[in-house]
Amino acid sequence: DTAVSQTPKYLVTQMGNDKSIKCEQNLGHDTMYWYKQDSKKFLKIMFSYNNKELIINETVPNRFSPKSPDKAHLNLHINSLELGDSAVYFCASSPGVAGYQETQYFGPGTRLLVL
Amino acid sequence: QKEVEQDPGPLSVPEGAIVSLNCTYSNSAFQYFMWYRQYSRKGPELLMYTYSSGNKEDGRFTAQVDKSSKYISLFIRDSQPSDSATYLCAGGKEAGNNRKLIWGLGTSLAVNP
């Protein structure tokens, strides 16, 4: 019944490694997002996809590469992990273009710690 | 200057108190505003949204927007320990596919029994 799910919930890894985080939503939404929340709780958008198409690509190092195989899934691959990548990564989804204001539904977050 | 400013707190109040949480914003292009609540180790969840100036009420929660002073507020009446969380305000801009939310830092609230 989980609306937006992410795997894994926790990820501890060494600097320089490559890792992926997966996100799935079963709400039938067209738009999905990746956010990074740092230790100060600041929530910053990284990417958004609408129906598998990249529509928002904020200033994010190109070590971060999102992939959307279909509109229900949005994965995030991170190459050459750095200490500063340690944060909580949230996936979110929203209905899409219908309506002006869109509620975003968040997943539980993936806590990434780079050692 | 950040587009959305919010005092991170922490704010500590006794149970039953009226809580006032506030944000200021600098971008006149914001067309709607949202309040999200985030419990510890959980994702944010929407509490309320407003499109324009004025008040919007939902149970114990009232959202207020003053576009002339670029000020948004969330009031919680009869606060409960279960209201203890971080409250994030966000401004939304642009319609269509380019819409996105700009977030404040969040205010941490503790309601003490």
Side-chain angles (χ1 to χ4, degrees):
Chain A
D1 278 297
T2 306
V4 182
S5 58
Q6 295 178 229
T7 53
K9 287 203 170 119
Y10 299 94
L11 190 50
V12 182
T13 188
Q14 300 286 332
M15 257 193 331
N17 283 351
D18 303 338
K19 290 291 178 188
S20 290
I21 308 171
K22 296 187 176 187
C23 179
E24 177 181 2
Q25 54 94 3
N26 62 7
L27 297 167
H29 288 168
D30 283 345
T31 306
M32 295 184 73
Y33 310 80
W34 276 114
Y35 283 91
K36 179 181 180 181
Q37 189 172 47
D38 60 26
S39 57
K40 293 183 179 176
K41 299 286 191 179
F42 183 56
L43 200 60
K44 189 175 188 318
I45 190 166
M46 300 171 72
F47 304 101
S48 79
Y49 271 75
N50 183 272
N51 233 333
K52 301 193 297 175
E53 183 186 342
L54 180 66
I55 54 171
I56 292 177
N57 184 353
E58 294 292 294
T59 309
V60 175
N62 57 15
R63 298 182 294 104
F64 291 80
S65 50
K67 276 200 175 67
S68 183
D70 55 61
K71 72 174 194 177
H73 296 85
L74 181 61
N75 304 323
L76 184 65
H77 187 75
I78 315 170
N79 288 327
S80 304
L81 278 154
E82 300 178 357
L83 294 177
D85 297 332
S86 297
V88 182
Y89 291 84
F90 285 103
C91 176
S93 74
S94 65
V97 295
Y100 193 66
Q101 162 281 123
E102 288 212 320
T103 300
Q104 293 182 18
Y105 297 82
F106 284 78
T110 295
R111 279 151 188 83
L112 172 65
L113 178 61
V114 182
L115 302 173
Chain B
Q1 183 189 9
K2 285 198 170 112
E3 287 184 90
V4 178
E5 299 268 12
Q6 190 175 6
D7 185 341
L11 186 60
S12 183
V13 301
E15 184 174 353
I18 295 175
V19 177
S20 172
L21 302 165
N22 306 298
C23 290
T24 58
Y25 64 95
S26 58
N27 192 333
S28 299
F30 285 143
Q31 289 146 326
Y32 57 91
F33 303 91
M34 294 185 159
W35 283 97
Y36 276 73
R37 178 175 59 197
Q38 185 176 18
Y39 290 115
S40 181
R41 298 194 162 270
K42 301 282 188 187
E45 55 180 354
L46 180 71
L47 264 182
M48 299 185 73
Y49 68 87
T50 54
Y51 278 109
S52 56
S53 290
N55 291 357
K56 183 174 182 179
E57 194 173 313
D58 184 1
R60 296 184 296 112
F61 298 88
T62 300
Q64 196 171 68
V65 176
D66 182 347
K67 282 196 169 181
S68 61
S69 55
K70 295 191 176 68
Y71 200 81
I72 58 177
S73 302
L74 178 71
F75 298 97
I76 308 174
R77 287 185 301 281
D78 187 25
S79 56
Q80 303 294 310
S82 58
D83 295 328
S84 299
T86 296
Y87 290 80
L88 297 146
C89 63
K93 55 184 180 178
E94 297 187 68
N97 280 344
N98 215 18
R99 68 165 66 80
K100 61 180 177 182
L101 293 175
I102 306 299
W103 298 83
L105 203 58
T107 299
S108 176
L109 171 67
V111 180
N112 305 305

